[in-house]
Amino acid sequence: MLTRDEVKKIARLCRIELSPAEIEKFQKELSVILDYVSELKKVETSGVVEISQVTGLENVLREDAPRYSDLRQAIIANFPESREGFLKIRNIL
Amino acid sequence: MDASFSEISELHEKLKNKEISSVELTEYFLQRIKKHNPQINAYLTVTEDAALEEAKEADKIIARRGKISVFTGIPFGIKDLFCTKGIRTTASSKILENYVPPFDATSVQKMRAENAIILGKTNLDEFAHGSSTETSAFGESKNPWDTSRIPGGSSGGSAAAVAAGLAPLALATETGGSIRQPSSLCGVSGWKPTYGRVSRYGVISMTSSNDSIGAIGRSVRDLALTAEVMSGRDEKDATTGNREVPQYSANLRTNLKGMKIGVPAEYFIDGMEDDVKKRVLDAIEELRKLGAEIIDVSLPLTKYGSLVYAIVTPSEISSNLSRFDGIRYGHQAKDARDLAEIYSKTRAQGFGDEAKRRIMTGTYALSAGYYEAYYLKAQKVRRLLVDEFNNVFEKVDCLVCASSPNVAPKIGAAKDNPLFGYIADQLNIPAAMAGLPALSVPCGFGAARDGADGGASSSVAGVQMPVGLQIIGPQWGEQKIFDAGHAYQTVTDWHKKMPPDFVPASPLPGKRK
């Protein structure tokens, strides 16, 4: 089973605050999932190249050209906080 | 014939012949939603005013005999995972509870271009993580055939809406069963396209290497019509294929002479419900009578499909959901002292348990030291799965099996079971991992193993729940699965059954000649 510290480390990496009760809950639940997938080790895959695009497309490119968006105001309107068209956030340090 | 359970082509005839207007049709569905949605919670948002405006516009186009398509003036629902311009889009998550996108998903734009009428947004598992809609932050949807049961998921709201006659069609998405399984559980037809057949642009991402944008409707013919509109290359989604979109609906077959249909032994798993197995075997017999050659095939890697999925999916989710950080849109924690706390508190407050489980599982699987054992290993096995399917499709045109090993379970069955979705969707996941197109079509009814009445009361004993036949094709083989599904629906009427509590008392309104 995953340790408390392992769960805390995962939570820190994915930026989700957990209560002590949640740490315990996810310790159990994540372990159930990891046990479940461990069966996969039984499949022989030496020499197999991993797949990353199932329909076989490769390097679909387009010109990296700048263009204007008409969404500026709509995007600003969605900011939780804004001032003079800028996104306002809490201090970083 | 009543409008609530009509196929799109039937409604189109009535609109075209001026037997009914789009405004009347739209009002009719809006009334039905008002009356019945509280029973099943299929819609999260109903866009009444905009729908009636759009319907007026459609009526004008029809009146001046302008360029109309089969979708002009036809109302439909949209899973609340598709961005809709000016319409709240929540992904059934608190983190997006008040998010109003400034743009439309490409598939939504395409439906709007046909002057189809958006009725509203349908419920789903939070961020499409689940197979029951029980992980929705806005309450589960209920199965119209028995409201004490789940509709399946994640596209459970779309399936329940169509099954209850609250929309003739609903857009949906699938990553590993989210169209086929709820379609099966609710007794409606569902199409999961080939990966890249339909643009993913503007649909909130879950597992980018799998996500497929499809639809749930009342017949395979309707789905074929929808596929013609939704499919095609989109420069905003680089994974869309550059292939022609055939006239699927015009080419539909009514006999299957010469078609080779494979029946994979591994899909008849232990633990499958008896009635499900019987109905599927009956359906295969119908396909044989239609002229198809039925061939036994084997797909030994099937049992590993869900394991590959249980790694790849959370991994990609952990990456895709990192954008929900409370900074630019959506929920932002009010009690945070600094930037790091905005992230961690916003995400703690905004995500439900299943989303957290998947983000954390994926974060772990992708973290230093574990990537090779989990994600890389899974993508290698995934290659073997793809190869195995490719080999079998050299021998057969399509595969048939059950869409789900069981009929709809009781609400609560999925709760706090971290493996529920992976097991519920085990018959759907392998094809999804290989990017294959597939259908679920209704093929009868069966009793649940938990007792048709859930053991609660003897007075409702005999409640029979829908069973779905799954038809899987090779990549880009939409025509083959539509052919098999349509031919089946020409000799059966399971897709025309209506859940008794939702059969309208007053038929189609505004009948006039």
Side-chain angles (χ1 to χ4, degrees), chain B residues 328-506:
Chain B
R328 289 157 300 148
Y329 54 87
H331 173 73
Q332 185 184 77
K334 298 287 170 265
D335 52 340
R337 287 167 303 181
D338 56 23
L339 191 65
E341 278 200 358
I342 291 183
Y343 294 150
S344 62
K345 286 185 190 291
T346 295
R347 288 162 68 78
Q349 294 163 5
F351 290 133
D353 278 354
E354 181 66 14
K356 285 178 186 169
R357 266 197 293 273
R358 294 199 186 195
I359 292 169
M360 293 175 69
T361 306
T363 301
Y364 180 78
L366 293 178
S367 62
Y370 296 101
Y371 170 79
E372 287 187 10
Y374 289 104
Y375 193 74
L376 194 65
K377 177 75 180 182
Q379 291 288 56
K380 286 180 178 176
V381 179
R382 185 178 186 177
R383 159 124 15 225
L384 297 176
L385 270 172
V386 171
D387 290 348
E388 186 171 276
F389 275 118
N390 285 345
N391 289 337
V392 86
F393 282 121
E394 284 178 10
K395 286 178 270 184
V396 298
D397 295 299
C398 57
L399 299 165
V400 293
C401 53
S403 295
S404 167
N406 48 268
V407 299
K410 288 276 181 182
I411 289 165
K415 203 171 180 290
D416 285 327
N417 176 357
L419 299 178
F420 178 79
Y422 303 130
I423 291 167
D425 298 338
Q426 60 184 310
L427 303 184
N428 310 130
I429 287 171
M433 296 309 302
L436 307 178
L439 293 177
S440 179
V441 294
C443 70
F445 291 82
R449 182 169 295 138
D450 57 21
D453 64 350
S457 136
S458 56
S459 65
V460 288
V463 172
Q464 293 279 302
M465 297 302 291
V467 176
L469 173 73
Q470 180 175 197
I471 306 169
I472 303 169
Q475 284 183 359
W476 313 106
E478 259 79 7
Q479 189 71 57
K480 290 177 178 178
I481 58 171
F482 289 146
D483 283 348
H486 176 70
Y488 179 73
Q489 291 188 336
T490 61
V491 293
T492 58
D493 60 0
W494 301 116
H495 61 297
K496 294 185 176 163
K497 302 287 181 199
M498 300 176 271
D501 292 349
F502 297 85
V503 176
S506 58

Side-chain angles (χ1 to χ4, degrees), chain B residues 9-241:
Chain B
S9 42
E10 295 167 330
L11 295 173
H12 170 65
E13 283 302 308
K14 291 194 177 297
L15 286 168
K16 204 174 68 177
N17 299 335
K18 312 264 169 66
E19 285 172 53
I20 188 171
S21 70
S22 176
V23 168
E24 286 168 324
L25 191 60
T26 303
E27 272 173 351
Y28 182 67
F29 277 105
L30 289 169
Q31 272 169 23
R32 280 187 61 78
I33 292 168
K34 255 182 213 149
K35 182 175 174 201
H36 289 296
N37 199 50
Q39 292 165 265
I40 55 172
N41 193 33
Y43 284 90
L44 297 178
T45 303
V46 181
T47 50
E48 182 168 356
D49 295 343
L52 291 171
E53 279 308 307
E54 289 166 20
K56 270 184 211 161
E57 203 49 45
D59 280 335
K60 279 185 207 161
I61 295 169
I62 295 166
R64 68 168 183 257
R65 301 188 184 282
K67 188 171 171 281
I68 66 167
S69 83
V70 70
F71 288 99
T72 306
I74 302 282
F76 73 111
I78 302 176
K79 186 179 184 178
D80 208 15
L81 197 65
F82 291 69
C83 285
T84 40
K85 187 175 181 173
I87 304 170
R88 183 178 80 133
T89 299
T90 68
S92 286
S93 178
K94 279 188 194 159
I95 210 161
L96 290 177
E97 190 165 7
N98 298 308
Y99 174 60
V100 178
F103 69 109
D104 276 328
T106 297
S107 46
V108 171
Q109 209 173 39
K110 286 184 168 192
M111 292 300 286
R112 281 201 209 258
E114 303 285 311
N115 292 97
I117 314 299
I118 299 171
L119 291 168
K121 306 293 291 289
T122 58
N123 195 19
L124 62 146
D125 283 286
E126 183 180 6
F127 283 106
H129 304 168
S131 307
S132 68
T133 68
E134 288 171 287
T135 70
S136 167
F138 308 114
E140 75 273 353
S141 297
K142 297 177 175 74
N143 193 310
W145 291 93
D146 174 357
T147 53
S148 71
R149 294 177 185 276
I150 61 166
S154 66
S155 309
S158 289
V162 174
L166 307 188
L169 178 83
L171 303 192
T173 68
E174 172 161 333
T175 301
S178 283
I179 288 176
R180 286 170 278 171
Q181 183 255 16
S183 296
S184 174
L185 269 43
C186 289
V188 288
S189 304
W191 166 54
K192 179 258 180 241
T194 302
Y195 178 77
R197 179 74 286 191
V198 178
S199 170
R200 293 177 295 118
Y201 178 75
V203 178
I204 296 168
S205 298
M206 174 179 169
T207 308
S208 300
S209 70
N210 266 41
D211 293 346
S212 303
I213 313 307
I216 294 173
R218 299 213 57 80
S219 71
V220 172
R221 181 196 292 281
D222 281 359
L223 296 175
L225 288 163
T226 310
E228 290 169 27
V229 173
M230 290 175 67
S231 301
R233 166 104 180 111
D234 179 12
E235 62 175 20
K236 290 174 177 162
D237 176 1
T239 59
T240 47

Side-chain angles (χ1 to χ4, degrees), chain A residues 32-65:
Chain A
V32 168
I33 297 165
L34 294 174
D35 280 350
Y36 173 67
V37 300
S38 66
E39 276 284 289
L40 210 54
K41 286 184 195 136
K42 290 186 183 164
V43 185
E44 175 56 51
T45 53
S46 54
V48 177
V49 180
E50 76 274 15
I51 197 164
S52 51
Q53 215 291 329
V54 291
T55 59
L57 289 177
E58 285 179 45
N59 297 340
V60 178
L61 302 174
R62 62 167 172 80
E63 199 181 342
D64 189 17

Side-chain angles (χ1 to χ4, degrees), chain A residues 2-88:
Chain A
L2 290 172
T3 64
R4 285 183 68 83
D5 282 347
E6 282 175 307
V7 173
K8 281 160 81 175
K9 186 188 169 195
I10 297 167
R12 198 172 66 245
L13 284 172
C14 63
R15 304 282 191 272
I16 296 176
E17 188 179 272
L18 297 181
S19 67
E22 281 180 313
I23 294 174
E24 200 176 320
K25 172 181 154 72
F26 286 121
Q27 243 186 300
K28 291 188 195 123
E29 291 176 354
L30 298 185
S31 299
V32 168
I33 297 165
L34 294 174
D35 280 350
Y36 173 67
V37 300
S38 66
E39 276 284 289
L40 210 54
K41 286 184 195 136
K42 290 186 183 164
V43 185
E44 175 56 51
T45 53
S46 54
V48 177
V49 180
E50 76 274 15
I51 197 164
S52 51
Q53 215 291 329
V54 291
T55 59
L57 289 177
E58 285 179 45
N59 297 340
V60 178
L61 302 174
R62 62 167 172 80
E63 199 181 342
D64 189 17
R67 62 195 159 84
Y68 285 100
S69 164
D70 56 2
L71 298 178
R72 186 172 181 272
Q73 286 311 319
I75 289 166
I76 292 169
N78 260 316
F79 290 165
E81 275 188 274
S82 69
R83 203 169 71 194
E84 294 164 27
F86 287 93
L87 172 66
K88 194 179 163 199

